[in-house]
Every structure is written in C-alpha cells, then in structure tokens.
Amino acid sequence: MAVKLRLTRMGRKKRPFYRIVAVDSRARRDGQYIESLGTYDPLTHPATVVVDQAAALKWLGNGAQPTDTVRSLLSRAGVLLAHDLGKRGATPEQVAEKVGAHQEQVAARNQQAVEARRRAAEAARKTQAEAARRAAEEKAASAAAAKAEEAAE
C-alpha cells in the first residue's frame, strides 16, 4: 500500500481549512485516512500550519510521499529538515538546534510579510482619504462658483 501525505479539505464553502493526513494513495481526496498529522489554515495572514512533528517524521521514515503542497508546508514547519538531518546521522540536539533556527527564520520572514501588508494597507487608506478630501474640495469650490455666478445675475 503506497502512503501519501496530503491535504484533505474541511471548512465550509469559500472558507477552506485543511487537515494534513497520511492516506492510501488510491483513496479519495476527502475519503478515509490513516492518521491526521496536523492542520493548515490558508485564510490567516500568514497562513497557519500546525504539524505533529513526531507523527510526520514517523510517516516520512516509513516511506510516505508528500504531495507538493504538503512538502512545502512540512518544509516551512521544519519537519523535512529534521527528517533530512536524522537520515544524515545528526544527534537529536543538533536536529533540535537547526530546526529551532529554521523556525526562527520562518517566523521573521512571516513577520516581515505582515508588516509589509500593514504598511501597504495604511498607504492605501491614506491615498483614499486624500482622494476623498480633494473631491470634497472640488465639490465645494464648484458649488461656491455656481452660487457666485447665480448672485452675479
């Protein structure tokens, strides 16, 4: 039985939420699975990934093949790094140290993305407020000109 690590969709319409699961490769996308390994919520910014590292390492060690998306999520969570270091014979302390450093880098990158998103939203708000102010000034000026023209007649 070929085992894959893949996503199964949960949540409601237009509000996706996924479980990361170990499943027989012949099973349906949302069908029966062997074990749940974690969750992935793409609607939060940045996306939230929660993985049971021990279970994921067990399945990777048993030869389970992750799909491209799950591979990316496991990489971001540091599971693939831990798996690779374990295969290369690193001690558990070395693995924990390197995975911790990797997770700090990912957290810093996510924080930068959140800050950039916040700055872009703030700039858009300022631009919109400036445009609204200019439109109000133009409307007031045209109303004053029309009133002055009416008074002149």
Side-chain angles (χ1 to χ4, degrees), residues 38-122:
T39 59
Y40 167 55
D41 186 2
L43 297 179
T44 59
H45 294 285
T48 306
V49 179
V50 177
V51 179
D52 178 359
Q53 189 167 0
L57 286 173
K58 176 187 85 167
W59 283 106
L60 289 171
N62 289 340
Q65 294 297 311
T67 60
D68 293 339
T69 304
V70 172
R71 179 179 300 278
S72 171
L73 295 174
L74 293 178
S75 175
R76 200 179 315 163
V79 174
L80 290 181
L81 177 63
H83 177 65
D84 185 53
L85 291 172
K87 284 190 339 187
R88 294 176 189 262
T91 65
E93 295 81 25
Q94 291 172 329
V95 170
E97 179 184 327
K98 292 202 180 206
V99 168
H102 171 76
Q103 288 174 338
E104 287 175 9
Q105 287 177 344
V106 169
R109 220 174 318 152
N110 286 342
Q111 187 61 33
Q112 288 175 348
V114 167
E115 287 298 317
R117 184 181 175 95
R118 185 190 58 77
R119 283 192 302 271
E122 191 174 311

Side-chain angles (χ1 to χ4, degrees), residues 1-6 21-34 65 67:
M1 170 172 77
V3 176
K4 281 204 169 280
L5 302 181
R6 65 182 183 206
V21 296
V23 64
D24 179 7
S25 64
R26 298 168 293 186
R28 298 176 314 213
R29 178 192 74 176
D30 296 336
Q32 189 175 17
Y33 56 87
I34 302 168
Q65 294 297 311
T67 60

Side-chain angles (χ1 to χ4, degrees), residues 133-153:
R133 185 187 60 77
R134 265 193 248 118
E137 287 175 358
E138 289 174 7
K139 185 175 180 181
S142 66
K147 196 170 195 175
E149 195 175 294
E150 212 174 273
E153 291 180 359

